[in-house]
């Protein structure tokens, strides 16, 4: 698990515990504390989504890295640096160098 997933899990569990405690307690707490349970559920869902997509992201990164390496190997050598300028303004470009 990555650090982001660990933080998300910790926040989700904290939100759920606080939300259940506030819901079941008979103490006179501020109504804003009732938001802890829905927040914990939302964070739990986000954690589960990141956990499910973790392997897919790893595969995607590997595929993209492979594509970039192949593109670097098969780059057309004519695009590197032009040695001569051909066209109407070739005299001006050659003189500026």
């Amino acid at each position: 698990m990555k650090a982001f997933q660990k933080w998300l899990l910790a926040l989700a569990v904290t939100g759920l515990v606080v939300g259940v405690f506030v819901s079941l307690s008979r103490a006179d707490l501020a109504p804003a504390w009732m938001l802890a349970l829905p927040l914990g559920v939302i964070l739990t869902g986000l954690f589960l989504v990141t956990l499910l997509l973790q392997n897919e992201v790893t595969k995607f990164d590997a595929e993209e890295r492979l594509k970039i390496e192949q593109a670097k190997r098969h780059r057309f050598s004519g695009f590197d640096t032009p040695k001569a300028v051909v066209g109407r303004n070739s005299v001006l470009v050659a003189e500026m160098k």
Side-chain angles (χ1 to χ4, degrees):
M1 254 194 298
K2 296 182 181 179
F4 175 71
Q5 289 175 330
K6 290 178 185 177
W7 275 103
L8 201 56
L9 179 62
L11 290 173
V13 169
T14 303
L16 288 173
V17 169
V18 169
V20 168
F21 173 74
V22 169
S23 298
L24 297 178
S25 70
R26 300 206 188 278
D28 188 25
L29 297 172
W33 283 104
M34 295 299 280
L35 292 174
L37 186 60
L39 184 64
V41 171
I42 290 170
L43 291 174
T44 302
L46 285 174
F47 168 73
L48 292 175
V49 167
T50 59
L51 191 64
L52 289 174
L53 293 179
Q54 179 178 354
N55 293 334
E56 296 299 321
V57 170
T58 305
K59 288 179 188 177
F60 178 77
D61 288 342
E63 289 173 0
E64 289 299 312
R65 193 176 313 114
L66 183 64
K67 286 180 187 178
I68 290 171
E69 288 174 4
Q70 287 177 349
K72 285 181 181 177
R73 272 190 264 134
H74 296 291
R75 185 173 26 175
F76 183 66
S77 62
F79 290 125
D80 288 342
T81 54
K83 297 199 177 16
V85 181
V86 178
R88 291 187 315 182
N89 299 329
S90 62
V91 174
L92 294 175
V93 173
E95 290 176 0
M96 293 175 81
K97 292 181 181 180

